[in-house]
Amino acid sequence: FRAMVPYRMYHGDMIPGFPQHPHRGFETITATIEGLVDHADSVGNAGRYGEGDVQWMTAGQGIVHSEMFPLLKMDDANPTRFFQIWLNLPK
């Protein structure tokens, strides 16, 4: 992720991640390989998952969510590796 590009979703100097953003019309399946992800949405759901966990989320209209990567170690690296699959929902 290059900070100098005009558009990027990855943000955060103190806590890296993807701050609140909308999705609509698909399922997201997030599988963590290493590290932790803090997930929260605009209707009050929140949780932390990682180290091999999988999260399945239905992206509904009018809801925003965030995925942030907590920096738990102050004197060492905080690697986070994950992948995400998006499945379109039928109309």
Side-chain angles (χ1 to χ4, degrees), residues 13 16 28-29 35 39 45 48-49 57 65-66 73 80 85:
D13 294 322
T28 61
I29 303 153
H39 182 269
N45 300 304
R48 175 173 282 177
Y49 60 96
M57 180 187 79
H65 79 118
S66 64
K73 301 174 191 170
T80 302
I85 300 169

Side-chain angles (χ1 to χ4, degrees), residues 11-87:
H11 296 279
D13 294 322
M14 298 299 292
I15 301 175
F18 303 97
Q20 285 196 341
H21 57 279
H23 286 295
R24 182 176 86 158
F26 57 89
E27 308 274 350
T28 61
I29 303 153
T30 306
T32 59
I33 299 165
E34 179 180 16
L36 297 170
V37 178
D38 287 338
H39 182 269
D41 67 29
S42 59
V43 294
N45 300 304
R48 175 173 282 177
Y49 60 96
E51 305 297 344
D53 292 336
V54 174
Q55 182 205 46
W56 185 296
M57 180 187 79
T58 301
Q61 183 175 358
I63 299 172
V64 296
H65 79 118
S66 64
E67 296 140 320
M68 304 303 286
F69 313 129
L71 301 175
L72 301 178
K73 301 174 191 170
M74 295 301 172
D75 58 348
D76 200 2
N78 289 278
T80 302
R81 292 188 310 139
F82 67 95
F83 64 91
Q84 195 170 69
I85 300 169
W86 295 9
L87 300 173

